[in-house]
């Protein structure tokens, strides 16, 4: 069973229905015990970053959420549920996130319509399990005004779409993420897919069993359902 954490921040019904559509049992819950007992955990959401963190604390869900992020089970963060994984956010003043992925959440730069709402291309290099069978450049549905910046990212190879792929640099945290140093000293283990909306940003990441997307798979029709099927396959395989 997949536990969908309900902390008062939207999209719950559409996420549960999408999993039901692909034949994967999922349950919306505010019960920390149910989160602890689930085979996998999904953290969806939209709205304000700091309000979300406060709600998680108020409902007593922060501890169970941190245990779900210890790398022992598959985890999927969606939209705000992705941003909460980062160290800080500048939305309505600097505030702390869960600090599972080192980095900050910043406001999209001026020059494009904000919020970024609608369909956009996501480029990837074929190395994220959520994108199995999904072509680089496929379109997904976004609704957001802020975007994540991975701390200490350094440029490496080009992806299929010509965007520079990045990974976490040596000083970034690794502990629960299961990252390891390669011969160059850079952290391997964090993989990303990329979108460009006035700035190139990590539209999706994979770190061990932690997966997260800035876009909404449950609203992204064909490729979104394929992505949820891929996550369900990860859950069933126990990897």
């Amino acid at each position: 069973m997949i536990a969908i954490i309900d902390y008062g921040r939207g999209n719950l019904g559409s996420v549960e229905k999408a999993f039901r559509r692909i034949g994967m049992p999922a349950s919306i819950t505010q019960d920390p015990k149910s989160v602890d007992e689930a085979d996998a955990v999904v953290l969806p959401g939209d709205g304000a970053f700091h309000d979300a963190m406060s709600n998680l604390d108020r409902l007593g869900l922060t501890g169970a959420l941190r245990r779900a992020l210890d790398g022992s089970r598959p985890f999927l963060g969606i939209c705000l549920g992705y941003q909460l994984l980062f160290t800080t956010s500048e939305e309505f003043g600097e505030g702390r996130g869960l600090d599972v992925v080192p980095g900050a959440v910043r406001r999209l730069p001026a020059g494009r319509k904000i919020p970024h709402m609608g369909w956009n291309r996501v480029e990837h290099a074929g190395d994220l399990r959520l994108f199995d069978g999904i072509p680089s450049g496929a379109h997904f549905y976004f609704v957001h005004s802020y975007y994540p910046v991975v701390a200490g990212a350094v440029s490496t190879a080009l992806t299929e779409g010509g965007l520079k792929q990045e990974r976490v640099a040596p000083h970034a945290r690794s502990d629960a993420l299961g990252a390891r140093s390669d011969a160059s000293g850079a952290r391997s283990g964090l993989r990303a897919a990329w979108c460009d909306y006035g700035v190139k940003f990590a539209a999706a990441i994979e770190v061990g069993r932690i997966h997260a997307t800035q876009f909404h798979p449950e609203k992204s029709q064909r490729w979104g359902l394929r992505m949820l099927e891929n996550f369900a396959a990860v859950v069933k395989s126990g990897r």
Side-chain angles (χ1 to χ4, degrees):
M1 174 68 73
I2 294 175
I4 301 171
I5 297 181
D6 176 7
Y7 58 109
R9 280 296 174 266
N11 291 346
L12 303 173
S14 57
V15 173
E16 189 274 334
K17 288 177 183 176
F19 277 114
R20 188 193 315 160
R21 183 173 176 183
I22 64 170
M24 186 68 191
S27 177
I28 298 169
T29 184
Q30 289 187 341
D31 179 17
K33 183 178 179 182
S34 296
V35 176
D36 283 335
E37 294 175 349
D39 298 314
V41 175
V42 176
L43 184 69
D46 51 28
F49 186 99
H50 304 321
D51 287 348
M53 288 298 298
S54 295
N55 281 2
L56 286 167
D57 286 339
R58 179 178 57 81
L59 293 167
L61 287 164
T62 304
L65 176 55
R66 289 193 179 279
R67 290 189 290 275
L69 288 161
D70 67 4
S72 62
R73 292 173 288 167
F75 175 92
L76 175 62
I78 298 173
C79 196
L80 180 59
Y82 170 30
Q83 295 183 1
L84 293 175
L85 302 181
F86 284 80
T87 309
T88 64
S89 172
E90 67 178 18
E91 185 178 2
F92 302 119
E94 198 79 13
R96 298 288 294 183
L98 294 166
D99 197 20
V100 175
V101 179
V105 177
R106 304 298 187 201
R107 185 168 174 81
L108 287 166
R112 297 283 188 96
K113 184 178 178 180
I114 299 176
H116 173 204
M117 182 180 295
W119 297 87
N120 208 338
R121 292 164 53 92
V122 175
E123 309 282 353
H124 67 90
D127 57 352
L128 286 82
R129 285 173 288 179
L130 287 190
F131 285 85
D132 183 33
I134 298 174
S136 182
H139 285 75
F140 292 88
Y141 190 81
F142 291 82
V143 183
H144 65 118
S145 300
Y146 292 79
Y147 71 100
V149 180
V150 179
V154 293
S155 297
T156 57
L158 293 178
T159 69
E160 296 170 14
L163 294 175
K164 288 183 178 179
Q165 191 176 7
E166 300 175 339
R167 59 186 174 187
V168 178
H171 63 273
R173 289 183 55 208
S174 61
D175 42 37
L177 303 183
R180 61 189 184 278
S181 296
D182 62 19
S184 69
R187 298 283 186 189
S188 58
L190 190 151
R191 301 169 180 172
W194 303 94
C195 181
D196 195 327
Y197 191 74
V199 63
K200 183 186 68 176
F201 64 91
I205 61 168
E206 176 183 326
V207 190
R209 292 179 174 178
I210 297 172
H211 310 264
T213 69
Q214 181 60 69
F215 52 84
H216 289 271
E218 78 281 5
K219 297 181 180 180
S220 295
Q221 299 179 9
R222 175 189 179 188
W223 296 125
L225 286 178
R226 175 58 187 262
M227 180 164 286
L228 294 180
E229 288 174 344
N230 290 340
F231 181 71
V234 169
V235 175
K236 291 174 182 177
S237 71
R239 293 185 292 110

